[in-house]
Amino acid sequence: MKYIIEGFEGTYALCEDEEKNTIKIPKYKLPLETKEGDVIKKIDSFFHVDKEETARRKEERLKKSEESLGEKET
């Protein structure tokens, strides 16, 4: 299962799963480098940052932002 880190609240990471449900995952269960916007995967009982998927999503969001700005300028 994949999750997207939406933000942090106290000792929890607020995450969205593939079905758009929000869940809280204790920060201590996540890799130290985890940050907002990262895609994480649960493999066995451990969470790992999916660097490729995170990079793809960031690129996709940047492209959408650029397209949105281009529409506003016309």
Side-chain angles (χ1 to χ4, degrees), residues 33-47:
E33 73 272 10
T34 305
K35 58 190 177 303
E36 190 174 317
D38 281 351
V39 176
I40 58 172
K41 284 184 181 178
K42 188 171 187 180
I43 301 171
D44 297 322
S45 58
F46 299 98
F47 290 97

Side-chain angles (χ1 to χ4, degrees), residues 2-10 12-25 27 30 34-40 54 57-58 61:
K2 289 183 188 179
Y3 303 91
I4 300 168
I5 305 290
E6 297 293 329
F8 295 95
E9 185 177 276
Y12 291 92
L14 303 176
C15 304
E16 184 179 280
D17 68 15
E18 295 169 306
E19 297 168 355
K20 305 290 185 200
N21 298 310
T22 300
I23 64 163
K24 290 182 176 181
I25 299 174
K27 283 185 188 178
L30 301 174
T34 305
K35 58 190 177 303
E36 190 174 317
D38 281 351
V39 176
I40 58 172
T54 298
R57 286 191 75 251
K58 284 182 182 179
R61 285 195 326 255

